[in-house]
């Protein structure tokens, strides 16, 4: 395990458990732990125990010939610098998946067409784990979409290693049917001067719980993280973000927005940002907004900033959870727009504000379609 | 010929220490073709009158009536009041992120007319209205009021006034925060609207400056939730010289 241990950098933040590749370091949670306290663990059980996980996801892609697809061992993945699992499900995914799928965008490659990898679950009773490593070569540019459809209980470890000066647009679309369970970790390592835009859109599923981490391998890296989620009756959607400003002159901007409607709809957003002592001249802002459309929903929104140096350009966060803004509705209605339509317009604007920044027509259309469906239910 | 008739209007606003009465019996009649200036010191209830007539949920009408061509507005919802022919240009227009000016204008026009405007002429009309207010065509793709300068917000209100063309418009301190060029452009927009001859305006202002551009037919002075003086344009000139002190004393405030 020496290679793995060497690759495991301890995070000083008190907000996070110690990352580790060793499953034994991630005991079965009881639900009392800070990082698990919002999550309905019963629905996650097969992913926590790793039992009967022999299913596979159907795979389709349009990977061009310039991009290499291969398989690597855990040791090779660690050698590449894959971040260690932060929780038991990510550790289980690494443990059970054994080999990782490697998608390697070579140095300097400019991939104009979005690379779309579609994973389809075989059914709600199946359990599967997956491990992905995306290696984005220095000075390359690419757009990658990881799209999840169908149903399954799925535990995943997704690592995205972005080389120097590379430009990456990464979309993870959770477009599951309503009985799917999906949990795991998505991690970015951002090279010197690299620019990463990520979009996480969670539309379906019974339970989605993603730990999204980012750290920097050199100065000057920029991260923009956008998130969109629609949570309906009985659904639990949880995004836990951790941006580790461990290099100077880096920038991060996080903006996650969700709408909740229906009995028992629950959203959790935790946004942690750590600004280390070395991280001078950085800027960071994180924002989470929840629109609560009906009674019986619950939204948790927890931004955390840990600052170990004052020599920064700026750091801030905001979190709002609420019903419609009366002033917005009044303004629209004072122009003759009926109440129901004014509400739809506000929700539409709330999300298109994010969706329009994705820059991939196909994904924008899919999200707008999902948004339209969501709006039909808004009264 | 239309009439907006405000009778014995009493309005309360909810505060932390309970309901507070702001309007204490306002009577006012505006006929189409007339411009009425409502003037008064800060806190006299001018804006409260505007927002309560438009149906803002913060204000409760406890007594009195507001009729537009005989239709009682106080029993109508906010959007129904707009459909009845009322428009309020706000002092602080609200930001609606992600909703473009174009989308908003089209939605409002469709709601007011009961049918979507003709695509070809509508875009032309919108661009022409923007141009008249000194805004270029790209303005319509911006999010409604988001990141607009104070002047842009006010111009956008007048663009709406021209395109939606209501029977009656209440302009709540449309002049505040405008530089002299913007004030002239905005005033010209209001004058184009009134020059149709059959539209009525309630022009709420703290200062007489805008009255150099928009000539009122009547001036009403508001103090402490009531109209304490009424007259023609000469009353505004008088205020320009003497200020509100005399009226405050008369009202015993």
């Amino acid at each position: 395990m020496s290679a793995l241990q060497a690759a495991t950098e301890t995070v000083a933040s008190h907000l996070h458990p110690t990352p580790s590749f060793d499953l034994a370091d991630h005991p079965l949670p009881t639900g009392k732990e800070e990082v698990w306290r919002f999550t309905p663990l019963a629905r996650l059980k097969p992913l926590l125990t790793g039992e009967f996980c022999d299913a596979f996801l159907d795979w389709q892609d349009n990977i061009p010939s310039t991009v290499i697809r291969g398989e690597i061992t855990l040791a090779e993945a660690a050698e590449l610098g894959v971040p260690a699992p932060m929780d038991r499900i990510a550790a289980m995914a690494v443990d059970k998946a054994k080999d990782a799928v490697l998608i390697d965008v070579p140095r300097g490659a400019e991939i104009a067409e979005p690379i779309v990898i579609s994973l389809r679950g075989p059914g709600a009773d199946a359990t599967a784990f997956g491990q992905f490593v995306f290696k984005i070569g220095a000075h390359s540019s690419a757009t990658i979409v990881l799209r999840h459809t169908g149903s399954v209980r799925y535990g995943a470890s997704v690592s995205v290693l972005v080389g120097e000066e590379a430009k990456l647009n990464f979309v993870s679309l959770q477009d599951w049917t309503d009985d799917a369970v999906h949990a795991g970790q998505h991690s970015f390592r951002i090279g010197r001067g690299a620019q990463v835009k990520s979009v996480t859109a969670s539309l379906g599923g019974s339970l989605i719980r993603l730990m999204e981490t980012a750290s920097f391998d050199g100065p000057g890296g920029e991260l923009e993280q956008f998130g969109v989620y629609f949570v309906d009756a009985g659904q639990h959607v949880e995004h836990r973000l951790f941006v580790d400003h461990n290099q100077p002159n880096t920038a991060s901007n996080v903006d996650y927005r969700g709408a909740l409607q229906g009995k028992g709809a629950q959203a959790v957003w935790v946004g942690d940002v750590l600004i280390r002592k070395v991280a001078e001249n950085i800027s960071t802002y994180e924002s989470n907004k929840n629109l609560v459309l009906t009674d019986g929903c619950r939204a948790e929104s927890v931004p955390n900033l840990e600052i170990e140096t004052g020599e920064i350009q700026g750091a801030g966060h905001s979190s709002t959870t609420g019903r419609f803004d009366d002033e917005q509705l009044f303004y629209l209605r004072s122009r003759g727009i009926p109440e129901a339509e004014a509400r739809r317009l506000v929700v539409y604007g709330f999300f298109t504000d994010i969706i329009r920044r994705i820059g991939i027509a196909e994904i924008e259309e899919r999200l707008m379609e999902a948004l339209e469906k969501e709006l039909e239910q808004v009264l | 010929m239309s009439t907006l008739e405000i009778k014995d209007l009493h309005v309360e606003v909810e505060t932390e220490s309970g309901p507070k009465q702001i309007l204490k019996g306002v009577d006012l009649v505006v006929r189409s073709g007339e411009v009425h200036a409502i003037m008064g010191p800060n806190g006299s209830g001018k804006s409260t009158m505007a927002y309560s007539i438009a149906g803002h949920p913060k204000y409760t009408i406890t007594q009195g009536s507001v009729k537009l061509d005989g239709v009682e507005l106080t029993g109508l919802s906010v959007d129904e009041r707009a459909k009845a022919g009322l428009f309020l240009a706000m002092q602080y227009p609200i930001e609606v992120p992600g909703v473009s000016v174009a989308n908003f204008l089209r939605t409002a026009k469709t709601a007011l007319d009961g049918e979507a405007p003709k695509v070809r002429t509508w875009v032309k009309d919108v661009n022409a209205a923007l141009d008249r207010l000194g805004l270029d065509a790209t303005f319509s793709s911006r999010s409604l009021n988001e990141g607009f300068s104070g002047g842009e917000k006010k111009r956008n209100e007048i663009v709406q006034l021209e395109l939606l063309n209501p029977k009656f418009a209440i302009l709540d301190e449309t002049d505040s925060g405008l530089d002299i060029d913007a004030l002239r452009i905005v005033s010209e927009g209001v004058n184009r609207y009134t020059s149709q001859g059959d539209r009525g305006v309630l022009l709420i202002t703290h200062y007489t400056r805008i009255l150099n551009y928009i000539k009122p037919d009547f001036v009403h002075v508001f103090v402490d939730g009531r109209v304490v003086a009424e007259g023609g344009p000469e009353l505004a000139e008088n205020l320009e010289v003497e200020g509100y002190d005399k009226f405050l004393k008369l009202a015993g405030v």
Side-chain angles (χ1 to χ4, degrees), chain B residues 75-147:
Chain B
L76 301 181
S77 68
V78 177
D79 45 289
E80 286 167 342
R81 296 180 199 204
K83 283 198 187 91
L86 189 73
F87 179 89
L88 169 61
M90 297 188 201
Q91 188 180 359
Y92 304 108
I94 306 298
E95 296 182 3
V96 188
V99 175
S100 69
V101 170
N103 187 359
F104 163 67
L105 289 172
R106 196 178 52 250
T107 306
K109 184 73 175 169
T110 304
L112 287 170
D113 291 1
E115 58 175 352
K118 301 250 180 320
V119 177
R120 200 183 297 164
T121 49
W122 176 245
V123 174
K124 249 186 233 167
D125 291 348
V126 170
N127 289 340
L130 290 172
D131 187 55
R132 287 195 293 271
L133 270 298
L135 299 164
D136 70 51
T138 62
F139 189 82
S140 63
S141 63
R142 290 174 66 184
S143 277
L144 184 57
N145 292 318
E146 191 186 33

Side-chain angles (χ1 to χ4, degrees), chain A residues 257 325-339 341 345-346 348-350 352-353 356, chain B residues 56 77-79 82-83 87-88 90 94-95 97-99 103-104 107-108 111-112 143-145 157 160:
Chain A
R257 298 184 192 189
D325 181 327
D326 283 345
E327 296 295 331
Q328 284 182 340
L329 291 181
F330 174 72
Y331 187 78
L332 296 172
R333 294 181 68 197
S334 76
R335 272 46 173 160
I337 300 170
E339 183 168 13
E341 201 171 353
L345 209 50
V346 169
Y348 168 89
F350 180 75
T352 50
D353 200 27
R356 68 186 174 183
Chain B
H56 194 289
S77 68
V78 177
D79 45 289
K83 283 198 187 91
F87 179 89
L88 169 61
M90 297 188 201
I94 306 298
E95 296 182 3
V99 175
N103 187 359
F104 163 67
T107 306
L112 287 170
S143 277
L144 184 57
N145 292 318
E157 294 292 282
Q160 294 167 46

Side-chain angles (χ1 to χ4, degrees), chain B residues 195-215:
Chain B
S195 71
Q196 298 173 96
D198 57 352
R199 309 286 139 165
V201 169
L202 262 177
L203 180 70
I204 294 173
T205 181
H206 183 77
Y207 302 105
T208 53
R209 189 175 65 143
I210 194 169
L211 303 181
N212 296 327
Y213 299 90
I214 302 171
K215 294 293 174 202

Side-chain angles (χ1 to χ4, degrees), chain A residues 317-372:
Chain A
H317 59 224
S318 71
S319 159
T320 57
T321 294
R323 291 176 176 266
F324 287 98
D325 181 327
D326 283 345
E327 296 295 331
Q328 284 182 340
L329 291 181
F330 174 72
Y331 187 78
L332 296 172
R333 294 181 68 197
S334 76
R335 272 46 173 160
I337 300 170
E339 183 168 13
E341 201 171 353
R343 286 175 188 271
R344 281 194 286 268
L345 209 50
V346 169
V347 178
Y348 168 89
F350 180 75
F351 284 109
T352 50
D353 200 27
I354 290 274
I355 294 171
R356 68 186 174 183
R357 292 182 237 183
I358 292 174
I360 308 168
E362 188 198 334
I363 298 298
E364 289 185 8
E365 280 162 26
R366 173 63 193 110
L367 290 178
M368 289 308 293
E369 184 192 310
L371 175 57
E372 293 291 341

